[in-house]
Amino acid sequence: MTSSTVMNYDIENDDSFTQPVGRWSVLYYGSGHMLNDITAACWFTYLLLFLTDIGLSPRGAAAVMLSGQIADGFATIFIGELIDRFGHFKIWHGAGSVLVAVSFSSVFGGCMPCRILSTSTLKVETISYCVFAAIFNVGWAATQVAHMSMVNCITLNSTSRVVLTSCRNAFTMVANLSLYAIAFIVFSVSTAKTHADLENQYRWIAYSSIFIGCCFVGIFLSRTEEPRLKMGLRGNSHARISWAYWFKKILYYQVALVYMLTRLVVNVSQAYLAFYVINDLRMGQSAKALEMAWTGQRLKAYYSAGGILWVFCGAGILILPMNMSAFMLLE
């Protein structure tokens, strides 16, 4: 019996992998996606506003957003394949977090190539922001895929896997609320009297988000161990499933469709609600920050209730008269 076979046998028969994961371990794991979540909330809520406020055309701002989404789509596929082949989740997570922090601060920190080249033409600015948007989304994809794929390699206990995922989603809500709390404080405390003041407001929000997110990433990397289950099961009797296998499963398309539509609703709402609040309803700047996520049956009930509420809120936005703009806070 080879050493790898012994390792596989020991891990598969180790009770620690079938026992529930400890409460602190769950919290440490959940904190690992905080940087991604808080920067994504800021990205979809304030990026288009920021870019148009600093002088980019609506088409240029849309190009920046599109370049990031395209990079995210391709990076998710290739990084997922690489992580599946080589493992080392924490290395991918850490490298992705560095890319997220550096590129995110570069986007909201101004046009770096413009300062280097001593030029501020619209074309150079647009290309610069497109490049950093693509880098941000590549790093974001690396962090996301590494963090999500760790769940099945941390434990074999199905209940613990649900708990880990639920904790991750709970931290997503915490990140969103934290971002809007920061934005509310910044917009309430400082008044943008000049163009430079407006840029500084967005930068304070962005830098504060990065600082908070990096603190949580540090907690995750220092307190969460590299999963041994992935390394132990490699090379055993479990055959590696080809990626083409999933295209033959109806469930794959069902899950993909539900997830895609959910993300579409969330992203579109975040990206355009701030525009609607400020440009159409003429509400104050701080209103941008006041936008107020286990059984199978219970999960479906929560999801359906959320979808119904979103439909009613969307319909309310369409019929809400200008003189009742204060009700946007309830939406």
Side-chain angles (χ1 to χ4, degrees):
M1 183 178 292
T2 64
S3 59
S4 61
T5 304
V6 172
M7 180 183 296
N8 295 332
Y9 178 82
D10 291 340
I11 287 180
E12 289 182 324
N13 290 275
D14 189 347
D15 291 338
S16 64
F17 289 104
T18 58
Q19 296 298 319
V21 177
R23 188 172 302 174
W24 285 107
S25 298
V26 172
L27 289 175
Y28 293 144
Y29 169 80
S31 67
H33 209 252
M34 187 74 173
L35 177 62
N36 264 25
D37 289 330
I38 197 168
T39 53
C42 185
W43 185 266
F44 286 108
T45 305
Y46 298 118
L47 179 64
L48 292 177
L49 276 172
F50 171 73
L51 293 176
T52 53
D53 285 344
I54 64 174
L56 258 66
S57 65
R59 178 178 294 181
V64 174
M65 182 71 78
L66 180 61
S67 65
Q69 296 306 296
I70 292 175
D72 181 35
F74 283 105
T76 299
I77 297 173
F78 291 114
I79 292 174
E81 178 67 19
L82 291 174
I83 292 177
D84 190 46
R85 287 179 178 272
F86 303 110
H88 301 293
F89 301 98
K90 291 177 66 175
I91 294 178
W92 284 99
H93 185 283
S97 297
V98 170
L99 286 180
V100 166
V102 172
S103 58
F104 190 75
S105 60
S106 299
V107 169
F108 284 92
C111 179
M112 186 182 301
C114 296
R115 292 194 292 268
I116 296 175
L117 300 174
S118 299
T119 181
S120 57
T121 62
L122 193 60
K123 180 179 291 187
V124 174
E125 285 187 344
T126 303
I127 294 175
S128 170
Y129 286 119
C130 285
V131 171
F132 282 111
I135 295 174
F136 168 77
N137 279 274
V138 169
W140 202 95
T143 303
Q144 181 198 40
V145 174
H147 191 256
M148 291 181 66
S149 56
M150 284 181 71
V151 172
N152 291 337
C153 299
I154 291 176
T155 178
L156 296 174
N157 187 292
S158 58
T159 301
S160 290
R161 289 178 175 179
V162 173
V163 172
L164 288 167
T165 305
S166 299
C167 184
R168 179 181 181 276
N169 293 332
F171 270 97
T172 299
M173 182 186 67
V174 172
N176 289 333
L177 293 177
S178 300
L179 182 276
Y180 295 131
I182 293 170
F184 179 70
I185 293 172
V186 170
F187 289 132
S188 299
V189 171
S190 62
T191 303
K193 297 180 179 179
T194 65
H195 187 75
D197 292 339
L198 187 61
E199 290 186 26
N200 287 331
Q201 284 182 329
Y202 287 115
R203 284 167 187 162
W204 271 108
I205 295 171
Y207 295 154
S208 300
S209 301
I210 293 172
F211 175 76
I212 293 174
C214 286
C215 289
F216 280 94
V217 168
I219 294 173
F220 167 78
L221 292 176
S222 62
R223 305 299 297 177
T224 303
E225 297 182 357
E226 181 75 22
R228 293 186 297 126
L229 192 57
K230 175 71 175 179
M231 296 183 292
L233 292 179
R234 181 172 296 165
N236 66 355
S237 59
H238 297 284
R240 186 172 180 271
I241 299 177
S242 171
W243 58 269
Y245 166 84
W246 298 106
F247 291 106
K248 303 175 183 178
K249 297 294 181 180
I250 296 178
L251 181 62
Y252 171 81
Y253 297 98
Q254 292 174 330
V255 173
L257 181 63
V258 170
Y259 182 78
M260 181 192 69
L261 294 177
T262 303
R263 292 306 308 174
L264 182 63
V265 167
V266 173
N267 293 347
V268 170
S269 299
Q270 285 185 314
Y272 293 109
L273 187 57
F275 271 113
Y276 179 69
V277 164
I278 300 302
N279 296 337
D280 292 343
L281 298 184
R282 306 295 180 184
M283 298 175 69
Q285 290 285 325
S286 60
K288 292 184 289 189
L290 290 179
E291 307 164 41
M292 306 287 186
W294 292 125
T295 63
Q297 292 297 326
R298 182 176 298 177
L299 181 62
K300 292 176 182 178
Y302 279 127
Y303 185 86
S304 300
I308 293 171
L309 285 175
W310 188 92
V311 170
F312 278 108
C313 289
I317 290 175
L318 292 177
I319 64 176
L320 191 70
M322 293 286 292
N323 59 359
M324 298 179 64
S325 60
F327 283 95
M328 275 297 297
L329 302 182
L330 299 178
E331 299 285 352

